Amino acid sequence: MKMKKFIAVLSVVSMMAVAAAGCGSSSDTSSAGDAAASDDSASSSEWDAASAITVVSREEGSGTRGAFTELFGVVDDDDNDITTLDAQVTNNTSVMMTTVSENEYAIGYISLGSLDESLVKAVSIDGAEATAENIENGSYTVSRPFNVAVKNDLDNPVATDFMAFIMSTEGQAVVSEEGYIPVSEVEAYAGEAPEGSCVVGGSSSISPLMEKLIEAYAEVNPNASIELQTTDSTTGMTSAIEGSYDIGMASRELNDEEAAELTGTVIATDGIAVIVNQNNPTDDLTVDQVKSIYIGDVTTWDAI
Amino acid sequence: MKSKAWTEKFMQGVFFVAACASVLAVALICIFLFANGIPAMREIGFIKFITGEIWRPGSDQFGILPMIVGSLYVTAGAVIFGVPIGILTSVFMAMYCPKQIYKPLKAATELLAGIPSVIYGFFGLVVVVPIIRQFGTALYKAGIVDNPGNGNSILTASLILGMMILPTIIGTTESAMRAVPSHYYEGSLALGATKERSIFRVIIPAAKSGVIAGIVLGIGRAIGETMAVIMIVGNQARLTSSILQGIRTLTGNIVIEMGYATGLHREALIATGVVLFVFILIINFSVALLKRGADHE
């Protein structure tokens, strides 16, 4: 009998817990509805500037993190990464965006090409908006190169021709169409359209752009087949050295070991957008403010 | 007659080779892990590696104590949430469940096992994390905790992992309870015990080794789970004292940084795998001891 009672109490408690959770989420959706209906009043009343900032960062070693810490000076005198240990870490662009879009007090950073403005808000840095034009004219300074690398003694005609296509007017037109910053001073593609196949692989940041480039190349040279493999920068470089990829992709600079074996080419420049939640009233941050948030000197939004 | 003996011998050989495959796999994994991990541990310094509190591969600081503690925290949390619910569910399924709802219930728990972990992670990220954040903020406003956390926390990971280990625990516990001879139960009833008393004092103790095996399999799943955990636990490589704060697990550390790691950093990650492997060995070993103890009673 005792056990029956216990089970009854347990089930009641769990049902109450479910009910409470249900209430919480339903009130949440109604307030979100209010915010959408009469935007400013509802969202600003919810916004509490004294709340702690949720700092979201990429993983140690990621090309995006390396470029971010370098460009914002989140490094000590010996160039060591000093991002606060309290920062949440993710290895995935979409988790980064979801986290920032779900958490009003979060701040993060992603590749400009992956930015989805319907989910999160990109803040201006030192007054310059994060756009391809501003990166090109130099007012938005937070950007990094997209590198592709081939072996010094590459003898695959398709890979050579494809590289020539990427670095041509046609190829660079694709780059700027996709929202990245093209390389200037290129000439029109004058390749001989050889027959054959080649394998391109590496950084997942460059992959979406490379996919479009391969599509465009297929139109000018239907004889060639190019296979794209998405892994990461280091795998891309290692596999290019080993010869399993003809062309490797890296969203960072090549390190010395890699540069000894490979010839790197910058095919585009990508901006890094600093993102916050859409309910966050902050529109503009300076480089120093972003730096102090990521070092951990500033921990609440009103202290900026 | 002779040909039959030959086929039997042959098939015996086939079975033996099949059995060797799994042993060989374990052996190869051991060799790979230790051959790559031990040199890194030696270079970093074993004590410094295990007890170091700071993980900054960029500045050559490789301390994995936060990750060890993190794995223990989330696994313990998963056990706290998962084991009572799992055992009570199997009691219901084995002893109380009416026939009409047994099938859908069984199908549901089995489906729970089939859901890919990335789905659990996404569910956690979108549904559980905001709830925990509100919960943390409420506690903070009530003055119970110093830091509200942001939802990506040990508590969130424990809840999701607790959910993920349910099917393992339910499956093994239920079949262990069903395997208890029915005269145990009938005898208990005949001696005047109530149904509940018979279940909890006779059936479950008789099925103890199956129940423990279920819990241990669950612990193994929880400590080894990666994808779901890295999406919801925050992955901060530092020690914390609050379950509303995030932490990083051993598996998360490997997965998150493996993609870009080179040189000593990469080896340190493999060494992290060695530590994880030793943990699993310790768990299996302690189960063997526990079981032996139970058999001697």
Side-chain angles (χ1 to χ4, degrees), chain A:
Chain A
M1 247 7 237
K2 222 174 175 183
M3 204 44 77
K4 214 173 216 168
K5 237 181 200 168
F6 172 71
I7 291 173
V9 169
L10 197 81
S11 62
V12 167
V13 167
S14 61
M15 267 164 69
M16 272 165 62
V18 168
C23 284
S25 63
S26 67
S27 67
D28 185 42
T29 48
S30 70
S31 66
D34 290 347
S38 58
D39 50 63
D40 270 340
S41 58
S43 61
S44 62
S45 66
E46 273 175 32
W47 172 260
D48 177 9
S51 289
I53 302 173
T54 301
V55 180
V56 192
S57 170
R58 285 294 299 271
E59 76 279 16
E60 186 105 20
S62 133
T64 315
R65 176 167 176 160
F68 175 84
T69 51
E70 191 192 320
L71 292 163
F72 281 96
V74 190
V75 287
D76 62 14
D77 296 336
D78 299 324
D79 270 349
N80 289 323
D81 190 327
I82 49 167
T83 304
T84 168
L85 286 174
D86 284 320
Q88 208 171 302
V89 178
T90 173
N91 64 340
N92 186 308
T93 303
S94 68
V95 172
M96 172 79 84
M97 276 211 278
T98 313
T99 306
V100 175
S101 71
E102 293 280 335
N103 185 340
E104 296 190 342
Y105 307 106
I107 186 167
Y109 52 85
I110 55 172
S111 153
L112 193 56
S114 322
L115 177 66
D116 183 349
E117 298 253 28
S118 65
L119 283 176
V120 293
K121 186 167 79 174
V123 294
S124 306
I125 299 299
D126 287 337
E129 261 184 71
T131 59
E133 295 84 62
N134 281 344
I135 294 170
E136 226 173 342
N137 67 31
S139 55
Y140 189 85
T141 49
V142 195
S143 62
R144 57 161 169 176
F146 273 180
N147 270 301
V148 298
V150 295
K151 254 192 155 150
N152 291 335
D153 53 349
L154 179 77
D155 61 351
N156 182 332
V158 174
T160 318
D161 193 59
F162 181 51
M163 286 295 293
F165 173 77
I166 295 174
M167 300 310 291
S168 71
T169 330
E170 289 87 345
Q172 291 301 313
V174 175
V175 169
S176 59
E177 232 171 73
E178 292 303 308
Y180 302 97
I181 298 88
V183 183
S184 50
E185 290 167 30
V186 289
E187 286 167 12
Y189 170 71
E192 54 265 31
E195 224 171 295
S197 65
C198 85
V199 181
V200 184
S203 166
S204 56
S205 306
I206 309 182
S207 222
L209 171 63
M210 191 53 78
E211 207 170 295
K212 298 287 174 196
L213 284 168
I214 291 171
E215 273 173 30
Y217 182 66
E219 281 169 26
V220 298
N221 181 8
N223 302 325
S225 77
I226 297 179
E227 190 190 328
L228 177 66
Q229 297 188 357
T230 305
T231 48
D232 55 72
S233 300
T234 303
T235 310
M237 294 302 102
T238 323
S239 305
I241 294 172
E242 284 166 0
S244 48
Y245 294 164
D246 296 300
I247 302 176
M249 309 183 284
S251 59
R252 56 167 171 77
E253 300 286 353
L254 272 60
N255 66 31
D256 293 341
E257 289 162 42
E258 293 161 356
E261 302 253 0
L262 301 168
T263 317
T265 315
V266 177
I267 60 163
T269 310
D270 177 33
I272 291 178
V274 177
I275 54 172
V276 295
N277 188 275
Q278 287 183 325
N279 284 342
N280 190 330
T282 314
D283 286 316
D284 192 11
L285 290 169
T286 65
V287 169
D288 283 336
Q289 284 169 337
V290 175
K291 179 183 168 180
S292 48
I293 290 173
Y294 271 86
I295 288 179
D297 288 347
V298 172
T299 55
T300 57
W301 282 103
D302 56 1
I304 292 174

Side-chain angles (χ1 to χ4, degrees), chain B residues 44 52 107 130 160 166 172 188 192 229 236 260 272 295:
Chain B
I44 298 159
I160 293 289
L166 276 181
T172 41
S188 170
V229 172
Q236 292 97 327
Y260 293 94
T272 312
D295 290 345

